[in-house]
Amino acid sequence: MDTVAPGILASFEKDLRDAIGEPRYKMWFQGHTKFSIEEYEILIGVPNRFYRDWLDTPYRAYIEGCVARAF
């Protein structure tokens, strides 16, 4: 999985950026989140509970769709 992971993450991030738009991606994801792969899941590390709750509400459907397409 190690050799596949960078490609999957890059695909996921590009798809998410395209889905929500560059300004919102920069505001809520770029520099604030860390994406990693564990087994067949993309994990999203966030700096605090506020970010977790905020990303879960308006962006959950986008994130889930991008994860599904990445795998």
Short mmCIF file of all heavy atoms in Angstrom, two decimals:
data_model
loop_
_atom_site.label_atom_id
_atom_site.label_comp_id
_atom_site.label_asym_id
_atom_site.label_seq_id
_atom_site.Cartn_x
_atom_site.Cartn_y
_atom_site.Cartn_z
N MET A 1 0.81 -1.20 0.00
CA MET A 1 0.00 0.00 0.00
C MET A 1 0.85 1.26 0.00
O MET A 1 0.43 2.28 -0.47
CB MET A 1 -0.93 -0.03 1.21
CG MET A 1 -1.94 1.07 1.23
SD MET A 1 -3.08 0.91 -0.13
CE MET A 1 -4.57 1.32 0.64
N ASP A 2 2.07 1.21 0.49
CA ASP A 2 2.92 2.38 0.58
C ASP A 2 3.19 3.03 -0.77
O ASP A 2 3.26 4.24 -0.87
CB ASP A 2 4.25 2.04 1.26
CG ASP A 2 4.06 1.74 2.74
OD1 ASP A 2 2.99 2.01 3.28
OD2 ASP A 2 5.00 1.22 3.33
N THR A 3 3.39 2.23 -1.81
CA THR A 3 3.66 2.81 -3.13
C THR A 3 2.40 3.35 -3.78
O THR A 3 2.47 4.23 -4.63
CB THR A 3 4.31 1.77 -4.06
OG1 THR A 3 3.43 0.66 -4.20
CG2 THR A 3 5.65 1.32 -3.54
N VAL A 4 1.26 2.87 -3.39
CA VAL A 4 -0.01 3.31 -3.96
C VAL A 4 -0.55 4.54 -3.22
O VAL A 4 -1.19 5.40 -3.82
CB VAL A 4 -1.05 2.17 -3.91
CG1 VAL A 4 -2.39 2.63 -4.40
CG2 VAL A 4 -0.56 1.00 -4.73
N ALA A 5 -0.26 4.65 -1.95
CA ALA A 5 -0.82 5.70 -1.10
C ALA A 5 -0.61 7.11 -1.63
O ALA A 5 -1.57 7.89 -1.66
CB ALA A 5 -0.29 5.57 0.33
N PRO A 6 0.59 7.51 -2.06
CA PRO A 6 0.75 8.89 -2.54
C PRO A 6 -0.15 9.21 -3.73
O PRO A 6 -0.71 10.30 -3.81
CB PRO A 6 2.23 8.96 -2.93
CG PRO A 6 2.89 7.91 -2.09
CD PRO A 6 1.87 6.81 -1.99
N GLY A 7 -0.33 8.27 -4.63
CA GLY A 7 -1.21 8.50 -5.78
C GLY A 7 -2.66 8.63 -5.38
O GLY A 7 -3.39 9.47 -5.91
N ILE A 8 -3.07 7.80 -4.44
CA ILE A 8 -4.46 7.87 -3.96
C ILE A 8 -4.69 9.20 -3.25
O ILE A 8 -5.70 9.86 -3.47
CB ILE A 8 -4.78 6.69 -3.03
CG1 ILE A 8 -4.82 5.39 -3.84
CG2 ILE A 8 -6.10 6.91 -2.29
CD1 ILE A 8 -4.97 4.15 -3.00
N LEU A 9 -3.76 9.59 -2.39
CA LEU A 9 -3.92 10.85 -1.67
C LEU A 9 -3.92 12.04 -2.62
O LEU A 9 -4.73 12.96 -2.46
CB LEU A 9 -2.82 11.01 -0.62
CG LEU A 9 -2.96 10.14 0.61
CD1 LEU A 9 -1.77 10.34 1.54
CD2 LEU A 9 -4.26 10.41 1.34
N ALA A 10 -3.05 12.04 -3.60
CA ALA A 10 -3.01 13.14 -4.57
C ALA A 10 -4.32 13.21 -5.35
O ALA A 10 -4.87 14.30 -5.56
CB ALA A 10 -1.83 12.97 -5.51
N SER A 11 -4.84 12.07 -5.75
CA SER A 11 -6.11 12.02 -6.47
C SER A 11 -7.25 12.53 -5.58
O SER A 11 -8.09 13.32 -6.03
CB SER A 11 -6.38 10.58 -6.92
OG SER A 11 -7.65 10.47 -7.49
N PHE A 12 -7.27 12.08 -4.34
CA PHE A 12 -8.30 12.51 -3.39
C PHE A 12 -8.24 14.02 -3.19
O PHE A 12 -9.27 14.71 -3.25
CB PHE A 12 -8.11 11.79 -2.06
CG PHE A 12 -8.88 12.41 -0.93
CD1 PHE A 12 -10.24 12.22 -0.81
CD2 PHE A 12 -8.24 13.21 0.00
CE1 PHE A 12 -10.96 12.80 0.22
CE2 PHE A 12 -8.94 13.80 1.03
CZ PHE A 12 -10.31 13.60 1.14
N GLU A 13 -7.05 14.56 -2.93
CA GLU A 13 -6.92 16.00 -2.67
C GLU A 13 -7.33 16.83 -3.88
O GLU A 13 -8.02 17.84 -3.73
CB GLU A 13 -5.50 16.33 -2.25
CG GLU A 13 -5.18 15.84 -0.85
CD GLU A 13 -3.80 16.26 -0.40
OE1 GLU A 13 -3.58 17.48 -0.20
OE2 GLU A 13 -2.94 15.38 -0.24
N LYS A 14 -6.94 16.43 -5.07
CA LYS A 14 -7.31 17.16 -6.28
C LYS A 14 -8.82 17.12 -6.48
O LYS A 14 -9.45 18.14 -6.78
CB LYS A 14 -6.60 16.60 -7.50
CG LYS A 14 -6.94 17.37 -8.78
CD LYS A 14 -6.38 16.73 -10.01
CE LYS A 14 -6.72 17.49 -11.27
NZ LYS A 14 -8.08 17.97 -11.39
N ASP A 15 -9.40 15.95 -6.29
CA ASP A 15 -10.85 15.80 -6.44
C ASP A 15 -11.59 16.66 -5.42
O ASP A 15 -12.56 17.33 -5.76
CB ASP A 15 -11.22 14.33 -6.30
CG ASP A 15 -12.62 14.01 -6.78
OD1 ASP A 15 -13.20 14.82 -7.53
OD2 ASP A 15 -13.13 12.94 -6.41
N LEU A 16 -11.13 16.67 -4.19
CA LEU A 16 -11.76 17.49 -3.15
C LEU A 16 -11.63 18.97 -3.48
O LEU A 16 -12.60 19.72 -3.37
CB LEU A 16 -11.16 17.18 -1.78
CG LEU A 16 -11.75 17.93 -0.60
CD1 LEU A 16 -13.25 17.62 -0.45
CD2 LEU A 16 -11.01 17.57 0.68
N ARG A 17 -10.45 19.38 -3.90
CA ARG A 17 -10.22 20.78 -4.28
C ARG A 17 -11.16 21.19 -5.41
O ARG A 17 -11.77 22.26 -5.38
CB ARG A 17 -8.76 20.98 -4.69
CG ARG A 17 -8.38 22.42 -4.92
CD ARG A 17 -6.92 22.59 -5.31
NE ARG A 17 -6.03 22.16 -4.25
CZ ARG A 17 -5.22 21.10 -4.32
NH1 ARG A 17 -5.17 20.35 -5.40
NH2 ARG A 17 -4.44 20.78 -3.32
N ASP A 18 -11.29 20.32 -6.42
CA ASP A 18 -12.18 20.61 -7.55
C ASP A 18 -13.65 20.63 -7.11
O ASP A 18 -14.43 21.44 -7.59
CB ASP A 18 -12.00 19.57 -8.65
CG ASP A 18 -10.65 19.67 -9.35
OD1 ASP A 18 -9.94 20.68 -9.17
OD2 ASP A 18 -10.30 18.71 -10.06
N ALA A 19 -14.01 19.75 -6.19
CA ALA A 19 -15.42 19.63 -5.76
C ALA A 19 -15.88 20.83 -4.94
O ALA A 19 -17.01 21.30 -5.11
CB ALA A 19 -15.61 18.35 -4.95
N ILE A 20 -15.03 21.33 -4.06
CA ILE A 20 -15.47 22.42 -3.17
C ILE A 20 -14.96 23.79 -3.62
O ILE A 20 -15.39 24.81 -3.09
CB ILE A 20 -15.08 22.17 -1.70
CG1 ILE A 20 -13.56 22.20 -1.51
CG2 ILE A 20 -15.69 20.88 -1.20
CD1 ILE A 20 -13.14 22.14 -0.04
N GLY A 21 -14.03 23.82 -4.55
CA GLY A 21 -13.48 25.08 -5.03
C GLY A 21 -12.19 25.44 -4.30
O GLY A 21 -12.03 25.13 -3.11
N GLU A 22 -11.31 26.07 -5.02
CA GLU A 22 -10.00 26.43 -4.48
C GLU A 22 -10.07 27.33 -3.24
O GLU A 22 -9.38 27.07 -2.26
CB GLU A 22 -9.16 27.10 -5.58
CG GLU A 22 -7.72 27.33 -5.20
CD GLU A 22 -6.90 26.06 -5.17
OE1 GLU A 22 -7.26 25.07 -5.85
OE2 GLU A 22 -5.89 26.04 -4.46
N PRO A 23 -10.91 28.38 -3.22
CA PRO A 23 -10.95 29.24 -2.03
C PRO A 23 -11.36 28.49 -0.75
O PRO A 23 -10.74 28.67 0.30
CB PRO A 23 -11.97 30.32 -2.38
CG PRO A 23 -11.99 30.36 -3.87
CD PRO A 23 -11.73 28.94 -4.31
N ARG A 24 -12.39 27.66 -0.85
CA ARG A 24 -12.81 26.91 0.35
C ARG A 24 -11.79 25.84 0.73
O ARG A 24 -11.58 25.58 1.91
CB ARG A 24 -14.19 26.28 0.13
CG ARG A 24 -15.28 27.35 0.10
CD ARG A 24 -16.66 26.76 0.19
NE ARG A 24 -16.98 26.04 -1.05
CZ ARG A 24 -18.06 25.31 -1.22
NH1 ARG A 24 -18.93 25.18 -0.24
NH2 ARG A 24 -18.29 24.71 -2.36
N TYR A 25 -11.16 25.23 -0.26
CA TYR A 25 -10.13 24.24 0.05
C TYR A 25 -8.99 24.90 0.81
O TYR A 25 -8.52 24.38 1.82
CB TYR A 25 -9.61 23.58 -1.24
CG TYR A 25 -8.58 22.51 -0.95
CD1 TYR A 25 -8.98 21.22 -0.65
CD2 TYR A 25 -7.22 22.80 -0.94
CE1 TYR A 25 -8.05 20.23 -0.36
CE2 TYR A 25 -6.28 21.83 -0.66
CZ TYR A 25 -6.70 20.55 -0.36
OH TYR A 25 -5.79 19.58 -0.07
N LYS A 26 -8.54 26.04 0.33
CA LYS A 26 -7.44 26.75 1.00
C LYS A 26 -7.83 27.17 2.41
O LYS A 26 -7.03 27.08 3.34
CB LYS A 26 -7.02 27.97 0.19
CG LYS A 26 -6.19 27.63 -1.01
CD LYS A 26 -5.74 28.89 -1.74
CE LYS A 26 -4.85 28.54 -2.91
NZ LYS A 26 -4.40 29.74 -3.63
N MET A 27 -9.08 27.63 2.59
CA MET A 27 -9.51 28.11 3.90
C MET A 27 -9.63 26.98 4.93
O MET A 27 -9.20 27.14 6.07
CB MET A 27 -10.86 28.82 3.80
CG MET A 27 -11.36 29.33 5.16
SD MET A 27 -13.02 30.04 5.11
CE MET A 27 -12.79 31.40 4.02
N TRP A 28 -10.19 25.84 4.53
CA TRP A 28 -10.51 24.80 5.50
C TRP A 28 -9.60 23.58 5.48
O TRP A 28 -9.58 22.82 6.44
CB TRP A 28 -11.96 24.36 5.34
CG TRP A 28 -12.88 25.44 5.74
CD1 TRP A 28 -13.63 26.24 4.93
CD2 TRP A 28 -13.12 25.89 7.07
NE1 TRP A 28 -14.31 27.15 5.67
CE2 TRP A 28 -14.02 26.95 7.00
CE3 TRP A 28 -12.66 25.49 8.33
CZ2 TRP A 28 -14.47 27.63 8.12
CZ3 TRP A 28 -13.11 26.16 9.45
CH2 TRP A 28 -14.01 27.22 9.33
N PHE A 29 -8.84 23.38 4.43
CA PHE A 29 -8.03 22.16 4.33
C PHE A 29 -6.54 22.43 4.22
O PHE A 29 -5.75 21.85 4.95
CB PHE A 29 -8.50 21.30 3.15
CG PHE A 29 -9.86 20.71 3.35
CD1 PHE A 29 -11.00 21.39 2.96
CD2 PHE A 29 -10.01 19.47 3.97
CE1 PHE A 29 -12.26 20.85 3.17
CE2 PHE A 29 -11.27 18.93 4.19
CZ PHE A 29 -12.39 19.62 3.78
N GLN A 30 -6.14 23.28 3.30
CA GLN A 30 -4.71 23.49 3.04
C GLN A 30 -4.02 24.09 4.27
O GLN A 30 -4.39 25.14 4.75
CB GLN A 30 -4.53 24.40 1.84
CG GLN A 30 -3.10 24.51 1.37
CD GLN A 30 -3.01 25.26 0.06
OE1 GLN A 30 -3.93 25.23 -0.76
NE2 GLN A 30 -1.92 25.94 -0.14
N GLY A 31 -3.03 23.38 4.77
CA GLY A 31 -2.28 23.86 5.92
C GLY A 31 -2.93 23.57 7.27
O GLY A 31 -2.32 23.78 8.31
N HIS A 32 -4.19 23.12 7.25
CA HIS A 32 -4.91 22.86 8.50
C HIS A 32 -5.19 21.38 8.72
O HIS A 32 -5.55 20.98 9.81
CB HIS A 32 -6.25 23.61 8.52
CG HIS A 32 -6.12 25.07 8.32
ND1 HIS A 32 -5.54 25.91 9.25
CD2 HIS A 32 -6.45 25.86 7.28
CE1 HIS A 32 -5.55 27.14 8.80
NE2 HIS A 32 -6.09 27.14 7.60
N THR A 33 -5.09 20.61 7.66
CA THR A 33 -5.41 19.19 7.75
C THR A 33 -4.24 18.35 7.25
O THR A 33 -3.42 18.83 6.49
CB THR A 33 -6.66 18.84 6.92
OG1 THR A 33 -6.43 19.24 5.56
CG2 THR A 33 -7.90 19.53 7.44
N LYS A 34 -4.22 17.11 7.69
CA LYS A 34 -3.21 16.18 7.22
C LYS A 34 -3.94 14.92 6.77
O LYS A 34 -4.71 14.33 7.52
CB LYS A 34 -2.23 15.83 8.33
CG LYS A 34 -1.16 14.87 7.87
CD LYS A 34 -0.21 14.52 8.97
CE LYS A 34 0.80 13.53 8.41
NZ LYS A 34 1.57 12.91 9.44
N PHE A 35 -3.70 14.53 5.53
CA PHE A 35 -4.33 13.34 4.97
C PHE A 35 -3.34 12.18 5.03
O PHE A 35 -2.16 12.33 4.74
CB PHE A 35 -4.74 13.57 3.52
CG PHE A 35 -5.69 14.72 3.33
CD1 PHE A 35 -5.28 15.88 2.70
CD2 PHE A 35 -6.99 14.63 3.78
CE1 PHE A 35 -6.15 16.94 2.53
CE2 PHE A 35 -7.87 15.69 3.62
CZ PHE A 35 -7.45 16.84 2.99
N SER A 36 -3.84 11.02 5.41
CA SER A 36 -3.02 9.81 5.41
C SER A 36 -3.92 8.62 5.09
O SER A 36 -5.15 8.72 5.13
CB SER A 36 -2.33 9.62 6.76
OG SER A 36 -3.27 9.48 7.80
N ILE A 37 -3.29 7.51 4.77
CA ILE A 37 -4.04 6.29 4.45
C ILE A 37 -3.69 5.22 5.45
O ILE A 37 -2.52 5.01 5.77
CB ILE A 37 -3.72 5.80 3.02
CG1 ILE A 37 -4.27 6.78 2.00
CG2 ILE A 37 -4.30 4.41 2.79
CD1 ILE A 37 -4.05 6.38 0.57
N GLU A 38 -4.72 4.57 5.95
CA GLU A 38 -4.56 3.42 6.83
C GLU A 38 -5.50 2.34 6.32
O GLU A 38 -6.71 2.53 6.31
CB GLU A 38 -4.92 3.80 8.26
CG GLU A 38 -4.62 2.72 9.27
CD GLU A 38 -4.82 3.22 10.68
OE1 GLU A 38 -4.10 4.13 11.09
OE2 GLU A 38 -5.73 2.68 11.34
N GLU A 39 -4.90 1.24 5.86
CA GLU A 39 -5.68 0.17 5.21
C GLU A 39 -6.40 0.76 4.00
O GLU A 39 -5.76 1.24 3.11
CB GLU A 39 -6.65 -0.49 6.20
CG GLU A 39 -5.96 -1.26 7.30
CD GLU A 39 -5.20 -2.48 6.82
OE1 GLU A 39 -5.71 -3.21 5.95
OE2 GLU A 39 -4.08 -2.68 7.30
N TYR A 40 -7.72 0.74 4.03
CA TYR A 40 -8.49 1.28 2.91
C TYR A 40 -9.33 2.47 3.34
O TYR A 40 -10.47 2.64 2.89
CB TYR A 40 -9.37 0.17 2.30
CG TYR A 40 -8.54 -0.88 1.64
CD1 TYR A 40 -8.24 -2.06 2.30
CD2 TYR A 40 -8.02 -0.68 0.38
CE1 TYR A 40 -7.45 -3.03 1.71
CE2 TYR A 40 -7.22 -1.63 -0.23
CZ TYR A 40 -6.95 -2.81 0.44
OH TYR A 40 -6.16 -3.75 -0.15
N GLU A 41 -8.74 3.31 4.17
CA GLU A 41 -9.40 4.52 4.64
C GLU A 41 -8.46 5.70 4.45
O GLU A 41 -7.25 5.57 4.62
CB GLU A 41 -9.74 4.43 6.12
CG GLU A 41 -10.72 3.36 6.49
CD GLU A 41 -10.96 3.31 7.99
OE1 GLU A 41 -10.01 3.48 8.76
OE2 GLU A 41 -12.13 3.11 8.36
N ILE A 42 -9.01 6.84 4.13
CA ILE A 42 -8.25 8.07 4.15
C ILE A 42 -8.58 8.75 5.47
O ILE A 42 -9.75 9.00 5.77
CB ILE A 42 -8.59 8.98 2.95
CG1 ILE A 42 -8.10 8.31 1.66
CG2 ILE A 42 -7.96 10.35 3.13
CD1 ILE A 42 -8.39 9.09 0.40
N LEU A 43 -7.55 9.00 6.25
CA LEU A 43 -7.73 9.68 7.54
C LEU A 43 -7.44 11.16 7.36
O LEU A 43 -6.51 11.53 6.63
CB LEU A 43 -6.78 9.08 8.57
CG LEU A 43 -6.89 7.56 8.78
CD1 LEU A 43 -5.85 7.11 9.79
CD2 LEU A 43 -8.28 7.19 9.25
N ILE A 44 -8.22 11.97 8.04
CA ILE A 44 -8.04 13.41 7.97
C ILE A 44 -7.74 13.91 9.37
O ILE A 44 -8.60 13.87 10.26
CB ILE A 44 -9.29 14.11 7.41
CG1 ILE A 44 -9.63 13.54 6.03
CG2 ILE A 44 -9.07 15.62 7.34
CD1 ILE A 44 -10.95 14.01 5.48
N GLY A 45 -6.52 14.36 9.56
CA GLY A 45 -6.11 14.93 10.84
C GLY A 45 -6.43 16.41 10.87
O GLY A 45 -6.17 17.12 9.90
N VAL A 46 -7.04 16.85 11.94
CA VAL A 46 -7.42 18.26 12.07
C VAL A 46 -6.83 18.82 13.36
O VAL A 46 -6.53 18.08 14.29
CB VAL A 46 -8.96 18.43 12.07
CG1 VAL A 46 -9.54 18.04 10.73
CG2 VAL A 46 -9.60 17.61 13.17
N PRO A 47 -6.66 20.14 13.43
CA PRO A 47 -5.99 20.73 14.59
C PRO A 47 -6.81 20.75 15.88
O PRO A 47 -6.25 20.81 16.97
CB PRO A 47 -5.65 22.15 14.14
CG PRO A 47 -6.60 22.45 13.04
CD PRO A 47 -6.92 21.13 12.39
N ASN A 48 -8.13 20.72 15.76
CA ASN A 48 -8.95 20.79 16.98
C ASN A 48 -10.39 20.34 16.69
O ASN A 48 -10.75 20.04 15.56
CB ASN A 48 -8.94 22.21 17.57
CG ASN A 48 -9.38 23.26 16.57
OD1 ASN A 48 -10.37 23.09 15.87
ND2 ASN A 48 -8.63 24.35 16.47
N ARG A 49 -11.19 20.31 17.73
CA ARG A 49 -12.58 19.85 17.63
C ARG A 49 -13.42 20.75 16.73
O ARG A 49 -14.31 20.29 16.02
CB ARG A 49 -13.20 19.77 19.02
CG ARG A 49 -14.63 19.24 18.99
CD ARG A 49 -15.17 19.07 20.36
NE ARG A 49 -14.55 17.85 20.87
CZ ARG A 49 -14.77 17.34 22.05
NH1 ARG A 49 -15.58 17.96 22.88
NH2 ARG A 49 -14.19 16.24 22.43
N PHE A 50 -13.17 22.05 16.78
CA PHE A 50 -13.90 22.99 15.93
C PHE A 50 -13.77 22.59 14.46
O PHE A 50 -14.76 22.52 13.73
CB PHE A 50 -13.40 24.42 16.14
CG PHE A 50 -14.00 25.40 15.16
CD1 PHE A 50 -15.29 25.87 15.34
CD2 PHE A 50 -13.28 25.83 14.05
CE1 PHE A 50 -15.86 26.76 14.44
CE2 PHE A 50 -13.83 26.72 13.15
CZ PHE A 50 -15.12 27.19 13.34
N TYR A 51 -12.53 22.35 14.02
CA TYR A 51 -12.31 21.94 12.64
C TYR A 51 -13.01 20.62 12.34
O TYR A 51 -13.63 20.46 11.30
CB TYR A 51 -10.81 21.79 12.34
CG TYR A 51 -10.23 23.02 11.71
CD1 TYR A 51 -9.77 24.06 12.49
CD2 TYR A 51 -10.15 23.13 10.34
CE1 TYR A 51 -9.24 25.20 11.92
CE2 TYR A 51 -9.61 24.27 9.75
CZ TYR A 51 -9.17 25.30 10.56
OH TYR A 51 -8.65 26.42 9.98
N ARG A 52 -12.92 19.67 13.24
CA ARG A 52 -13.57 18.38 13.02
C ARG A 52 -15.07 18.56 12.84
O ARG A 52 -15.66 18.04 11.89
CB ARG A 52 -13.31 17.44 14.20
CG ARG A 52 -13.91 16.05 13.97
CD ARG A 52 -14.03 15.26 15.22
NE ARG A 52 -15.04 15.89 16.07
CZ ARG A 52 -15.16 15.66 17.37
NH1 ARG A 52 -14.35 14.84 17.97
NH2 ARG A 52 -16.09 16.26 18.08
N ASP A 53 -15.69 19.31 13.74
CA ASP A 53 -17.13 19.52 13.66
C ASP A 53 -17.51 20.31 12.40
O ASP A 53 -18.50 20.01 11.75
CB ASP A 53 -17.64 20.23 14.90
CG ASP A 53 -17.52 19.38 16.15
OD1 ASP A 53 -17.30 18.14 16.03
OD2 ASP A 53 -17.63 19.94 17.26
N TRP A 54 -16.73 21.31 12.08
CA TRP A 54 -17.05 22.14 10.92
C TRP A 54 -16.90 21.33 9.64
O TRP A 54 -17.76 21.40 8.76
CB TRP A 54 -16.17 23.37 10.87
CG TRP A 54 -16.47 24.20 9.67
CD1 TRP A 54 -15.66 24.38 8.59
CD2 TRP A 54 -17.68 24.91 9.38
NE1 TRP A 54 -16.29 25.17 7.65
CE2 TRP A 54 -17.53 25.51 8.11
CE3 TRP A 54 -18.88 25.09 10.06
CZ2 TRP A 54 -18.52 26.27 7.53
CZ3 TRP A 54 -19.86 25.86 9.48
CH2 TRP A 54 -19.68 26.44 8.23
N LEU A 55 -15.85 20.56 9.50
CA LEU A 55 -15.66 19.78 8.28
C LEU A 55 -16.71 18.68 8.15
O LEU A 55 -17.10 18.32 7.04
CB LEU A 55 -14.26 19.18 8.23
CG LEU A 55 -13.11 20.18 8.16
CD1 LEU A 55 -11.78 19.45 8.11
CD2 LEU A 55 -13.25 21.13 6.99
N ASP A 56 -17.18 18.18 9.27
CA ASP A 56 -18.17 17.10 9.24
C ASP A 56 -19.51 17.58 8.71
O ASP A 56 -20.21 16.83 8.04
CB ASP A 56 -18.33 16.51 10.64
CG ASP A 56 -19.18 15.25 10.62
OD1 ASP A 56 -18.95 14.39 9.74
OD2 ASP A 56 -20.07 15.13 11.48
N THR A 57 -19.87 18.81 8.97
CA THR A 57 -21.19 19.29 8.60
C THR A 57 -21.31 19.62 7.11
O THR A 57 -21.99 18.91 6.38
CB THR A 57 -21.59 20.49 9.47
OG1 THR A 57 -21.51 20.10 10.83
CG2 THR A 57 -23.00 20.94 9.18
N PRO A 58 -20.66 20.65 6.60
CA PRO A 58 -20.90 20.99 5.20
C PRO A 58 -20.06 20.18 4.20
O PRO A 58 -20.40 20.12 3.02
CB PRO A 58 -20.53 22.46 5.10
CG PRO A 58 -19.50 22.65 6.14
CD PRO A 58 -19.86 21.69 7.25
N TYR A 59 -18.99 19.56 4.66
CA TYR A 59 -18.07 18.92 3.71
C TYR A 59 -18.09 17.40 3.73
O TYR A 59 -17.44 16.77 2.92
CB TYR A 59 -16.64 19.42 3.95
CG TYR A 59 -16.51 20.90 3.69
CD1 TYR A 59 -16.26 21.78 4.73
CD2 TYR A 59 -16.67 21.41 2.41
CE1 TYR A 59 -16.17 23.14 4.49
CE2 TYR A 59 -16.57 22.77 2.17
CZ TYR A 59 -16.33 23.63 3.22
OH TYR A 59 -16.23 24.97 2.98
N ARG A 60 -18.83 16.80 4.62
CA ARG A 60 -18.83 15.34 4.76
C ARG A 60 -19.19 14.63 3.45
O ARG A 60 -18.52 13.69 3.04
CB ARG A 60 -19.76 14.90 5.87
CG ARG A 60 -19.73 13.40 6.08
CD ARG A 60 -20.70 12.96 7.18
NE ARG A 60 -20.45 11.60 7.51
CZ ARG A 60 -19.82 11.19 8.59
NH1 ARG A 60 -19.39 12.05 9.46
NH2 ARG A 60 -19.63 9.91 8.81
N ALA A 61 -20.24 15.07 2.80
CA ALA A 61 -20.68 14.42 1.56
C ALA A 61 -19.61 14.55 0.47
O ALA A 61 -19.35 13.60 -0.26
CB ALA A 61 -21.99 15.01 1.07
N TYR A 62 -18.98 15.72 0.39
CA TYR A 62 -17.88 15.90 -0.58
C TYR A 62 -16.72 14.95 -0.27
O TYR A 62 -16.18 14.31 -1.16
CB TYR A 62 -17.35 17.34 -0.54
CG TYR A 62 -18.29 18.38 -1.07
CD1 TYR A 62 -18.90 19.28 -0.20
CD2 TYR A 62 -18.57 18.47 -2.43
CE1 TYR A 62 -19.75 20.26 -0.67
CE2 TYR A 62 -19.44 19.44 -2.91
CZ TYR A 62 -20.03 20.35 -2.03
OH TYR A 62 -20.87 21.30 -2.50
N ILE A 63 -16.34 14.90 1.00
CA ILE A 63 -15.22 14.06 1.41
C ILE A 63 -15.52 12.59 1.11
O ILE A 63 -14.68 11.88 0.55
CB ILE A 63 -14.91 14.27 2.91
CG1 ILE A 63 -14.35 15.68 3.13
CG2 ILE A 63 -13.94 13.21 3.42
CD1 ILE A 63 -14.28 16.11 4.59
N GLU A 64 -16.71 12.14 1.47
CA GLU A 64 -17.06 10.73 1.23
C GLU A 64 -17.05 10.40 -0.26
O GLU A 64 -16.58 9.34 -0.67
CB GLU A 64 -18.42 10.42 1.84
CG GLU A 64 -18.38 10.35 3.35
CD GLU A 64 -19.74 10.16 3.99
OE1 GLU A 64 -20.78 10.31 3.29
OE2 GLU A 64 -19.77 9.87 5.20
N GLY A 65 -17.56 11.30 -1.08
CA GLY A 65 -17.57 11.08 -2.53
C GLY A 65 -16.15 11.02 -3.09
O GLY A 65 -15.84 10.16 -3.93
N CYS A 66 -15.29 11.89 -2.61
CA CYS A 66 -13.90 11.92 -3.09
C CYS A 66 -13.14 10.68 -2.63
O CYS A 66 -12.31 10.15 -3.38
CB CYS A 66 -13.21 13.19 -2.61
SG CYS A 66 -13.88 14.69 -3.36
N VAL A 67 -13.41 10.22 -1.43
CA VAL A 67 -12.76 8.98 -0.94
C VAL A 67 -13.20 7.81 -1.80
O VAL A 67 -12.37 6.99 -2.23
CB VAL A 67 -13.09 8.73 0.55
CG1 VAL A 67 -12.70 7.33 0.96
CG2 VAL A 67 -12.41 9.75 1.43
N ALA A 68 -14.49 7.72 -2.08
CA ALA A 68 -15.00 6.62 -2.91
C ALA A 68 -14.35 6.62 -4.29
O ALA A 68 -13.97 5.57 -4.81
CB ALA A 68 -16.51 6.71 -3.01
N ARG A 69 -14.22 7.78 -4.88
CA ARG A 69 -13.60 7.86 -6.21
C ARG A 69 -12.10 7.58 -6.16
O ARG A 69 -11.55 7.00 -7.09
CB ARG A 69 -13.87 9.23 -6.83
CG ARG A 69 -15.31 9.39 -7.31
CD ARG A 69 -15.52 10.67 -8.05
NE ARG A 69 -15.39 11.87 -7.24
CZ ARG A 69 -16.35 12.38 -6.47
NH1 ARG A 69 -17.52 11.77 -6.38
NH2 ARG A 69 -16.15 13.49 -5.79
N ALA A 70 -11.44 7.95 -5.09
CA ALA A 70 -9.99 7.73 -4.97
C ALA A 70 -9.65 6.25 -4.90
O ALA A 70 -8.63 5.81 -5.41
CB ALA A 70 -9.43 8.45 -3.73
N PHE A 71 -10.51 5.47 -4.25
CA PHE A 71 -10.27 4.03 -4.13
C PHE A 71 -10.93 3.28 -5.26
O PHE A 71 -10.75 2.18 -5.52
CB PHE A 71 -10.74 3.50 -2.78
CG PHE A 71 -9.80 3.84 -1.66
CD1 PHE A 71 -10.09 4.84 -0.77
CD2 PHE A 71 -8.62 3.15 -1.51
CE1 PHE A 71 -9.23 5.15 0.26
CE2 PHE A 71 -7.74 3.45 -0.48
CZ PHE A 71 -8.05 4.46 0.41
#
